[in-house]
Amino acid sequence: MLVKGVPKKLGIVLTFSIFIFLLGYYIITFLILSILAFVIQFFRDPQRKTPDSEGIIVAAADGRILSGKIDKIEVVDSSYPLLDKITDDNEAILVSTFMSPFDVHVNRAPISGEIIHASYYPGKFKIAKGKILTENEKNLMVIEGKYGRVGIIQIAGFIARRIIQYVKVGERVKIGTRIGMIRFGSRVDLIIPKDCDILVDIGSKPKAGETIIARFPTTQTEEERFIGDERI
């Protein structure tokens, strides 16, 4: 499955490459098809099976291929940019996932709830590693759920040039459903309440919508079952 709107554009490029091949431009055809293969793998949008346990927080982003991974888990305070737009507390937990250009770049809702805030911030396009939150282009979404608020910060990288948000303020989303994407290499910061139980480690390879990142402290563990992929 590919991101909506992409198959038609790929069909046009494929038709053009066949025409170029018939004219005898084999090297150009090879280059076009190589680029086409990269675009197809980048815009893939596989279905995900989200665990339906009470009070869980799932990964918002994939970090599975090559250097993609959770590379930062730490407590942040009021000096952290945007924290005041996510929570009234002075501290929260940051779980940051770096996505390589070969990871799936569709982002998914970490909890069920209402989109209560969304902000876009223009900026630079530095490599999405290190302290780039204050400089790079980014987009913030805040979801208010049954057990608390979670912030999702999409951060553009050196290759990424477009952040896309699928949802609007006031809209209700179900855990694991698609909320946006970042094109060509990027990072997603997940900001969760400081008293949550973290269930992953630095170096973990999360799968968006499936990997359980944390659990709210006021919930009890239930037997996991699976829910569909539709937004409520």
Side-chain angles (χ1 to χ4, degrees):
M1 181 177 178
L2 295 177
V3 174
K4 184 178 179 181
V6 172
K8 182 178 180 180
K9 296 177 182 178
L10 293 180
I12 294 174
V13 176
L14 181 59
T15 300
F16 176 74
S17 65
I18 293 174
F19 176 73
I20 293 296
F21 177 81
L22 292 175
L23 292 177
Y25 296 100
Y26 304 124
I27 296 179
I28 295 177
T29 302
F30 173 77
L31 293 175
I32 292 175
L33 292 178
S34 297
I35 295 173
L36 189 63
F38 173 78
V39 171
I40 289 174
Q41 71 82 29
F42 179 84
F43 283 99
R44 67 195 187 280
D45 184 14
Q47 297 282 41
R48 294 288 164 85
K49 293 182 179 180
T50 302
D52 185 22
S53 292
E54 188 73 11
I56 60 172
I57 302 171
V58 300
D62 275 27
R64 301 182 59 79
I65 301 177
L66 298 178
S67 59
K69 62 182 176 181
I70 293 175
D71 59 1
K72 187 181 296 184
I73 301 175
E74 62 185 26
V75 175
V76 294
D77 57 24
S78 56
S79 64
Y80 181 83
L82 308 181
L83 186 65
D84 61 330
K85 298 183 182 301
I86 301 171
T87 178
D88 295 329
D89 292 336
N90 293 324
E91 291 184 334
I93 298 175
L94 162 69
V95 180
S96 188
T97 301
F98 176 74
M99 296 181 287
S100 81
F102 299 97
D103 277 312
V104 173
H105 275 61
V106 174
N107 304 137
R108 292 175 178 264
I111 62 172
S112 295
E114 180 182 349
I115 306 293
I116 62 169
H117 179 87
S119 301
Y120 167 75
Y121 302 87
K124 300 178 181 179
F125 298 97
K126 295 184 177 180
I127 295 175
K129 290 188 176 183
K131 299 180 179 180
I132 45 79
L133 179 62
T134 57
E135 297 183 2
N136 278 30
E137 176 180 305
K138 54 191 169 288
N139 187 63
L140 167 67
M141 288 177 276
V142 181
I143 302 177
E144 173 118 53
K146 181 179 179 181
Y147 299 102
R149 294 180 183 178
V150 172
I152 307 99
I153 306 174
Q154 301 168 289
I155 307 172
F158 177 70
I159 303 176
R161 297 289 160 165
R162 187 178 181 189
I163 297 176
I164 302 171
Q165 179 177 310
Y166 295 161
V167 294
K168 300 178 180 179
V169 173
E171 185 173 352
R172 294 194 63 83
V173 295
K174 184 181 291 185
I175 183 172
T177 53
R178 302 168 181 87
I179 57 174
M181 76 173 297
I182 318 173
R183 294 184 176 176
F184 300 114
S186 40
R187 173 179 296 277
V188 170
D189 283 358
L190 199 59
I191 308 297
I192 62 179
K194 62 181 179 181
D195 53 356
C196 286
D197 298 320
I198 303 299
L199 304 178
V200 292
D201 299 309
I202 292 176
S204 297
K205 299 278 190 177
K207 182 181 289 186
E210 288 192 7
T211 301
I212 300 176
I213 297 293
R215 189 181 299 275
F216 287 101
T218 56
T219 62
Q220 296 179 348
T221 302
E222 298 179 353
E223 181 180 355
E224 293 185 1
R225 57 192 185 279
F226 291 108
I227 61 176
D229 216 28
E230 299 300 320
R231 186 180 303 157
I232 56 176

